Amino acid sequence: MHLDAFDLHQPTSVEEALALAQRHAGKFDFLAGGTDLLPNYKMHLNVRPHLISLDHVAELRAFRPEAGWLGATVRLRNLEGSSTLRRRYPGIAEAAEEIATPLVRASGTVGGNLLVETRCFFFNQSYPWRQALGFCLKADGDQCHVVPQKTRCYATFSGDLAPALMVLDAHAEIAGPGGRRRVAVADLYDPKGDGVRRTKLGPGELLVGVQIPPGAEHLKAKYSKLRVRPSFDFPELGVAVALEEKGGKVARLEIALGGLETYPRLMRAQTSPLVGERLTEERVKALSEDLVKAVRPVHNTFLAPDYRRKMTGVYVRRAIGALRSGS
Ligand SMILES: Cc1cc2nc3c(=O)[nH]c(=O)nc-3n(C[C@H](O)[C@H](O)[C@H](O)COP(=O)(O)OP(=O)(O)OC[C@H]3O[C@@H](n4cnc5c(N)ncnc54)[C@H](O)[C@@H]3O)c2cc1C
Ligand code: SF4
């Protein structure tokens, strides 16, 4: 496996990065830590001739956990190493420290993790391997081998940070040719898309950073992850929970799930009926059963979809139990 030649651009401001993106429209990728993009390029997955590095853009490196701001190129290592972040947002610190290996976390960034390519065992393969199978619609082909049809990709979203940010109602700041805007991280992903295009970022738009809203630091929050090898594997299931109880009743309960489908999902339809109720054992059990029914993993990662669905209920019950007991 080798990297084909590309032109590397190194802008020093967001405006310069956006101008380069317009000049090379359709022929570039933004490059952050490169821990996801460059291995994909080595496997000849959707390679572009121009890379616009974000590493020299000072604005993107801003890290202010005391104000809830995480710049797009803040390294994952900084998240796990910050005592302020861990105290204020323990779920984010837990998610960050479970991503990949220390070496990957030293280069991998917040933005790269939120926008990480989806995974599938028919996609994350070398060019000759994929060629032998006739390729697939996510790269070089026109059919899906997991759910046989030609219109939608079901590759799995395997980023750990997104669910932990979604339950805190964090917002992503996006810069593009039309200016800047903020969208909830929960709305950054596009469930109505074809699964190949993963997010609602428009052409030439980049992620500037993430703002966690004031008050989120008062929520109890937790992230837990199911994976095959605890030393470095991608999530086969990621469960983030944020909880606030007042007077023995639920004031706020958010659950977001990753590692199961093409997009991480905030499960409000299942959690909002519990607001104002006591969180009894029966209600937690019913909630976990509702969640198991709501998720639809497919067979394109290591563990079987049925097992991942069943473990969703187990992980949700455990996480809520841990938050309530303070363990
Ligand atoms: C061995 C290994 C194990 C891994 N395990 C895990 C794991 O357990 N959990 C997990 O979540 N991830 C895992 N990863 C995936 C990945 O490396 C990390 O998620 C990392 O956070 C990606 O960040 P990066 O800065 O390197 O992104 P890059 O590789 O630089 O970019 C990833 C994608 O995001 C785009 N992008 C990056 N920043 C921006 C921006 N600011 N604006 C617009 N587009 C942008 C790029 O164009 C590219 O499409 C693993 C990777 C490896 C190699
Ligand atoms: S889900 Fe289908 S289209 Fe998507 S990467 Fe896998 S085989 Fe390809």
Side-chain angles (χ1 to χ4, degrees):
M1 289 195 287
H2 67 276
L3 271 178
D4 287 336
F6 52 77
D7 285 344
L8 180 66
H9 306 272
Q10 296 181 295
T12 54
S13 68
V14 168
E15 291 66 33
E16 198 187 337
L18 295 177
L20 281 162
Q22 282 210 293
R23 191 178 318 150
H24 301 292
K27 293 183 181 155
F28 79 93
D29 275 314
F30 288 116
L31 175 70
T35 61
D36 181 51
L37 192 69
L38 295 181
N40 288 344
Y41 271 31
K42 284 186 182 171
M43 292 197 273
H44 298 275
L45 290 163
N46 302 324
V47 175
R48 308 265 165 77
H50 295 272
L51 284 185
I52 303 174
S53 166
L54 301 176
D55 223 22
H56 301 276
V57 181
E59 180 184 353
L60 304 183
R61 288 200 299 270
F63 181 40
R64 294 191 293 274
E66 68 291 350
W69 176 258
L70 315 176
T73 59
V74 168
R75 265 47 194 178
L76 300 169
R77 179 177 59 186
N78 297 125
L79 301 188
E80 63 171 327
S82 161
S83 54
T84 306
L85 185 105
R86 192 171 291 275
R87 180 172 38 80
R88 290 171 65 93
Y89 315 114
I92 297 178
E94 285 168 2
E97 72 192 358
E98 298 245 338
I99 295 169
T101 63
L103 202 59
V104 173
R105 294 197 294 276
S107 300
T109 63
V110 168
N113 193 262
L114 288 176
L115 301 171
V116 70
E117 184 62 90
T118 48
R119 296 183 69 77
C120 168
F121 49 44
F122 293 104
F123 175 72
N124 301 100
Q125 303 288 354
S126 67
Y127 189 90
W129 194 105
R130 292 182 295 113
Q131 188 178 34
L133 203 68
F135 299 114
C136 81
L137 70 88
K138 193 165 164 67
D140 305 306
D142 68 351
Q143 58 184 327
C144 175
H145 305 297
V146 176
V147 181
Q149 38 79 49
K150 290 175 182 269
T151 52
R152 198 181 187 286
C153 167
Y154 288 84
T156 302
F157 179 82
S158 303
D160 284 302
L161 272 189
L165 288 166
M166 285 160 85
V167 294
L168 302 184
D169 193 27
H171 279 57
E173 182 165 318
I174 294 166
R180 295 198 181 204
R181 63 194 173 98
R182 285 195 177 182
V183 295
V185 173
D187 293 329
L188 186 60
Y189 305 93
D190 188 2
K192 294 195 179 122
D194 62 2
V196 176
R197 199 176 139 268
R198 326 185 274 287
T199 69
K200 289 185 189 158
L201 285 189
E205 284 192 322
L206 67 79
L207 184 70
V208 177
V210 175
Q211 180 68 60
I212 304 160
E217 66 278 12
H218 302 308
L219 293 166
K220 291 180 180 171
K222 183 156 195 62
Y223 181 77
S224 38
K225 165 175 178 176
L226 169 69
R227 55 179 162 176
V228 180
R229 292 166 295 186
S231 53
F232 86 107
D233 270 333
F234 283 86
E236 294 277 340
L237 159 69
V239 174
V241 181
L243 174 66
E244 184 181 24
E245 287 176 285
K246 279 186 185 155
K249 294 184 176 170
V250 175
R252 195 163 156 199
L253 174 62
E254 303 283 10
I255 295 178
L257 303 174
L260 290 169
E261 301 174 351
T262 313
Y263 308 95
R265 273 170 72 189
L266 190 61
M267 308 304 284
R268 270 217 182 122
Q270 289 74 22
T271 57
S272 56
L274 289 171
V275 174
E277 303 288 348
R278 287 187 190 280
L279 212 47
T280 59
E281 231 172 80
E282 293 70 35
R283 287 203 173 103
V284 173
K285 187 165 176 284
L287 168 66
S288 67
E289 285 166 1
D290 282 353
L291 291 168
V292 169
K293 281 183 210 144
V295 296
R296 301 262 178 282
V298 296
H299 195 200
N300 61 0
T301 63
F302 193 79
L303 297 176
D306 260 2
Y307 179 67
R308 285 152 68 210
R309 284 180 63 234
K310 281 181 191 149
M311 290 308 281
T312 304
V314 174
Y315 271 52
V316 165
R317 285 199 298 277
R318 281 185 195 159
I320 292 177
L323 285 179
R324 299 189 82 203
S325 67
S327 60

